[in-house]
Amino acid sequence: VQLQASGGGLVQPGGSLRLSCAASGGAFSINAMGWYRQAPGKQREAVATITSGGNTNHADSVKGRFTVSSDNAKNTVYLQIFSAKPEDTATYYCWAEWNRFSWGPSEESWGQGTLVTVSS
């Protein structure tokens, strides 16, 4: 599975932005998708994930400001950013967990990253 993210850019503090990530390629199932981020000099951290059943998980640092959603028919995951803060500045990576077959272990894929800069 290949992941193609888009939607990053410059946003002012307090502003909004939406990231999108589309999955393509052969997979028996995509079990979950989501977003991680990595700020300069910091480790990559989980931002938000969503399962194929619609269960979501958001990091405490973004709860109430970010919303993850998905369109299973399009194999696409979104991250809606509200009330952006300078500390949200990072490269955001799309992630997916999927199964190649109906049996066997799950696999993971990562997108190329899209830069979000929160600055006035």
Side-chain angles (χ1 to χ4, degrees):
V1 168
Q2 295 79 45
L3 302 176
Q4 182 66 47
S6 61
L10 176 65
V11 59
Q12 292 187 342
S16 300
L17 196 67
R18 190 175 85 155
L19 308 182
S20 301
C21 175
S24 62
F28 174 77
S29 64
I30 296 178
N31 308 318
M33 297 184 74
W35 297 91
Y36 286 68
R37 68 185 180 185
Q38 187 167 20
K42 295 187 177 182
Q43 290 188 331
R44 189 174 297 189
E45 62 176 359
V47 176
T49 58
I50 183 168
T51 68
S52 58
N55 293 317
T56 62
N57 190 34
H58 295 78
D60 288 343
S61 59
V62 306
K63 281 182 180 177
R65 300 188 301 115
F66 290 17
T67 300
V68 65
S69 62
S70 65
D71 184 335
N72 291 340
K74 296 181 179 179
N75 288 333
T76 299
V77 63
Y78 306 96
L79 184 69
Q80 181 68 56
I81 299 173
F82 300 100
S83 302
K85 299 179 179 180
E87 51 263 43
D88 295 324
T89 295
T91 297
Y92 284 70
Y93 295 91
C94 179
W95 163 88
E97 180 193 280
W98 52 283
N99 280 81
R100 191 178 300 272
F101 307 106
S102 61
W103 47 271
S106 59
E107 302 182 46
E108 293 185 325
S109 292
W110 293 89
Q112 82 282 11
T114 185
L115 179 62
V116 173
T117 302
V118 183
S119 175
S120 55

